[in-house]
Amino acid sequence: MRPLKTLKRLYDEESHVVLTEKGSPPRVIFSGEDFLLEDLPIGTRVIFPRPPLEGVPNLKAAIRWAINHPEGMEPLHALLRPGMKVTVALDDISLPLPPMRTPDVRQTVLEIVLELLADSGVDDVHLVIANALHRRMTEAEMRRMVGQKIFDAFHPDRYYNHDAEDPDGIVELERTAQGEVVALNRRAAESDLLVYLNINLVPMDGGHKSVGTGLANYASLRAHHNPRTIRDSESYMEPRCSALHRSTERIGRAIDKHLKVFHIETALNNRMFGGPLAFLGQKEEDYTEVDRLKFQATRYALSKMPRAAKRKLFFSVPAAYEVIGVHAGATEGCHEKTLELCWKQYSVPVEGQSDIVVFGVPYVSPYNVNSILNPLLLQVMGLGYFYNLNRGVPLVKKGGVIILCHPAYDEFDPEHHPSYIEFFNRLLPETRDAMALEQKYEREFAENPSYVHLYRKANAYHGAHPFYMWYWGENGRQQVGKVIVAGAENNHVPELLGWERTDTLAEAIDSARGFMGRSATISLVHMPPILQTDVRLGREAKPETRG
């Protein structure tokens, strides 16, 4: 990299977009547990996240204000009475990514809420992790999330993971007019008050999706975790354009008819990196000499470490997230306020779509915390989350090319993802058709006694979960002309996923230009931290997206 004093500022402070020209610095791009340092072709558009919004100056005061001034409901203290039955549900370890510094915001909220419950004479209190069909959190993870004092007071009898396969622990409340099963954790459904404690990292989270998904069972989740609903979702990250959210809203409104739900939603900024890795949250133009030395030292150290050690190292560095807002009360009014903060932090205006879009894929996703980003999770990151990180239309044009920078290793965690191994090695060689997979195999995996047992008694994702991961990429598969994995260390994984591979990013860009034309437009989405593109089309331009 060139000395700081000679760097030319090429970006617009408002749009957070750089147009690469001669002399631009190379870009730092995640590739699994490693970093690439890449010079991009002249004319490449580099899209950066917005800088982190400032956290609230006094988090405990913000929490107390929110629960005393809720949206569309009485204050929390007014809903309490001695002897009542209260359940507090919490988002699981899939949020935030990576796990945040302690004390986790869930601990801070719980300390205030539990004190209020005790002062109000409420002794029958359970804490339930709303993990849906995700794996059970370990005791160590549960302790870290709520702190030692709360863990000791409530675990294991009154602080535990939701069990979607417990025949006595689920109650069906009703079915919607569309036939969607409204089933819920029995303890929550039979409580006088359900308090849901949510973390909003992206706009897909929160709202009606919290209770109706996190505390549901397989029969209920099938209503929206299916390929048809996914195909009908313009973007998972823009609820008004998402058939998935329309289904969860119908289910959530039915739940709200049956029980009193008080939401506490927290929105975070995007300060993923702190301490020695803080430079990763900056533009390369802003690197100091110290930052460059840190980067080179980090990259060198990683090059000498086994992959498992690198992974452990990254997961040992918590994120420096700060809470930028707390809202409470009725589901929809509370969530509307939260979404406003999410857009303010993550939405980046961009002029027009691109023919080729490059993403660096980091080591972590919602489904491999303290584990391995296996091939199915690489797929869901690229064609599920990254493709859908937009408002309006996707950043990549219909028929365009997505380039993912990742080793695409053929590696699975047998403890967390046993059903993924069978899905990848047995089913994908037969077909990649999501509809066929759903019709022929989903129920077999969902009802497999071994997978049910491992979900309930160990720390494995549900047997149906790899299907959801495949469905999640359905929009990307339908709309993108080609996916290329730059730096893939084998041919097997890209081939089974229906992708191409190259050794380097430069080769991937050359291949993509051969597919799209030499004048193809290119964008690099500089993540992490998270951003969402808000693509603005010219007056005469038509969105090149769903057919």
Side-chain angles (χ1 to χ4, degrees):
M1 294 185 180
R2 294 168 291 133
L4 181 65
K5 64 182 179 181
T6 67
L7 290 175
K8 180 180 178 182
R9 292 190 178 274
L10 305 172
Y11 57 90
D12 182 319
E13 292 287 357
E14 283 301 313
S15 65
H16 311 292
V17 173
V18 174
L19 189 63
T20 301
E21 60 181 37
K22 187 175 181 179
S24 296
R27 301 299 169 189
V28 177
I29 302 173
F30 259 104
S31 180
E33 293 84 3
D34 292 294
F35 301 119
L36 305 178
L37 189 61
E38 297 285 344
D39 286 305
L40 301 174
I42 291 174
T44 299
R45 182 173 57 179
V46 185
I47 304 169
F48 287 94
R50 291 179 178 273
L53 297 175
E54 288 299 318
V56 296
N58 186 324
L59 178 56
K60 290 185 177 181
I63 295 167
R64 291 191 175 97
W65 173 268
I67 64 177
N68 287 322
H69 301 83
E71 305 291 331
M73 293 185 75
E74 294 178 277
L76 181 57
H77 67 82
L79 302 176
L80 305 177
R81 64 180 186 278
M84 70 187 303
K85 185 177 186 178
V86 174
T87 297
V88 181
L90 304 89
D91 279 342
D92 72 355
I93 200 172
S94 62
L95 291 166
L97 300 171
M100 67 193 304
R101 292 173 176 171
T102 55
D104 188 294
V105 66
R106 283 162 288 210
Q107 175 183 338
T108 307
V109 175
L110 274 175
E111 288 171 350
I112 292 170
V113 170
L114 292 176
E115 182 180 8
L116 180 60
L117 292 173
D119 290 345
S120 301
V122 180
D123 300 319
D124 187 355
V125 180
H126 282 208
L127 312 180
V128 181
I129 298 170
N131 52 287
L133 303 188
H134 296 177
R135 69 169 177 86
R136 287 158 40 93
M137 289 177 61
T138 66
E139 288 190 14
E141 291 166 341
M142 294 170 68
R143 182 183 297 106
R144 185 185 188 279
M145 191 165 78
V146 302
Q148 187 71 51
K149 184 177 179 181
I150 294 175
F151 181 85
D152 289 344
F154 285 85
H155 184 271
D157 297 331
R158 296 190 298 144
Y159 176 34
Y160 48 85
N161 293 277
H162 166 65
D163 184 350
E165 288 290 346
D166 180 0
D168 299 321
I170 300 290
V171 58
E172 183 174 324
L173 302 178
E174 63 169 87
R175 302 203 175 192
T176 69
Q178 288 76 12
E180 296 148 323
V181 175
V182 183
L184 207 62
N185 177 283
R186 182 177 292 277
R187 164 71 199 196
E190 295 178 353
S191 293
D192 298 302
L193 177 67
L194 172 62
V195 178
Y196 196 102
L197 205 172
N198 152 268
I199 292 179
N200 251 79
L201 190 65
V202 292
M204 187 180 74
D205 307 327
H208 285 297
K209 188 171 176 290
S210 291
V211 177
T213 297
L215 296 176
N217 65 353
Y218 169 65
S220 186
L221 290 171
R222 290 187 68 202
H224 39 78
H225 280 51
N226 64 71
R228 288 167 297 281
T229 300
I230 295 301
R231 286 186 184 183
D232 290 338
S233 297
E234 293 286 323
S235 172
Y236 315 145
M237 303 299 172
E238 192 169 11
R240 68 179 182 85
C241 300
S242 168
L244 183 150
H245 280 84
R246 288 193 287 274
S247 177
T248 60
E249 285 168 5
R250 288 190 293 268
I251 291 171
R253 286 167 184 160
I255 291 170
D256 285 349
K257 289 190 303 183
H258 288 267
L259 62 149
K260 188 176 288 294
V261 184
F262 188 92
H263 288 262
I264 304 174
E265 295 201 342
T266 60
L268 304 181
N269 65 13
N270 62 353
R271 199 182 301 277
M272 289 183 69
F273 304 109
L277 295 180
F279 64 89
L280 291 172
Q282 302 173 18
K283 298 180 177 73
E284 288 84 0
E285 286 86 348
D286 293 339
Y287 278 18
T288 65
E289 288 296 340
V290 173
D291 291 330
R292 279 186 281 279
L293 289 171
K294 286 180 180 178
F295 170 74
Q296 296 295 352
T298 302
R299 194 178 184 209
Y300 177 79
L302 291 172
S303 72
K304 302 299 181 183
M305 298 171 65
R307 182 175 293 150
K310 290 188 283 189
R311 189 176 298 131
K312 185 176 181 179
L313 172 66
F314 274 116
F315 278 119
S316 70
V317 181
Y321 294 120
E322 297 169 304
V323 176
I324 56 175
V326 184
H327 296 94
T331 310
E332 294 179 17
C334 170
H335 192 52
E336 184 179 346
K337 299 285 187 181
T338 303
L339 285 177
E340 291 175 5
L341 286 173
C342 284
W343 297 130
K344 187 176 180 181
Q345 176 63 89
Y346 297 115
S347 183
V348 176
V350 176
E351 295 296 332
Q353 296 173 295
S354 289
D355 300 301
I356 302 166
V357 179
V358 181
F359 295 101
V361 184
Y363 61 95
V364 65
S365 82
Y367 315 109
N368 76 302
V369 177
N370 298 323
S371 185
I372 299 165
L373 191 83
N374 63 52
L376 289 180
L377 297 181
L378 172 61
Q379 176 268 163
V380 81
M381 288 291 280
L383 295 180
Y385 286 112
F386 288 172
Y387 175 80
N388 283 277
L389 276 173
N390 65 80
R391 295 181 77 180
V393 300
L395 181 61
V396 63
K397 292 179 181 177
K398 182 176 181 180
V401 178
I402 285 180
I403 297 174
L404 302 175
C405 299
H406 194 271
Y409 32 73
D410 188 3
E411 203 175 331
F412 291 84
D413 183 334
E415 179 184 2
H416 290 178
H417 303 113
S419 58
Y420 282 56
I421 300 171
E422 182 180 4
F423 182 99
F424 183 73
N425 292 290
R426 173 189 160 206
L427 303 192
L428 286 189
E430 177 183 326
T431 181
R432 291 190 291 269
D433 186 310
M435 301 291 192
L437 289 166
E438 179 197 30
Q439 294 167 10
K440 191 173 181 180
Y441 294 115
E442 184 190 296
R443 191 173 289 277
E444 173 198 330
F445 274 60
E447 297 176 355
N448 181 301
S450 295
Y451 293 148
V452 171
H453 175 78
L454 291 172
Y455 162 79
R456 296 193 66 197
K457 303 301 180 183
N459 298 102
Y461 281 81
H462 193 275
H465 205 262
F467 291 82
Y468 296 167
M469 297 298 91
W470 192 252
Y471 304 158
W472 226 245
E474 188 67 6
N475 280 341
R477 274 190 299 276
Q478 296 297 314
Q479 302 300 322
V480 174
K482 180 182 287 192
V483 179
I484 304 172
V485 191
E489 65 183 23
N490 63 76
N491 295 319
H492 176 62
V493 168
E495 183 179 352
L496 268 186
L497 296 175
W499 299 349
E500 294 184 7
R501 71 163 298 279
T502 62
D503 290 326
T504 67
L505 177 57
E507 291 171 341
I509 291 173
D510 191 61
S511 176
R513 280 175 157 173
F515 183 75
M516 297 299 295
R518 304 312 299 180
S519 62
T521 55
I522 306 172
S523 288
L524 166 69
V525 182
H526 205 286
M527 293 193 301
I530 297 171
L531 66 85
Q532 294 179 258
T533 55
D534 191 348
V535 179
R536 299 172 178 176
L537 300 172
R539 290 184 179 180
E540 298 180 1
K542 295 181 179 179
E544 298 191 43
T545 174
R546 289 147 179 82

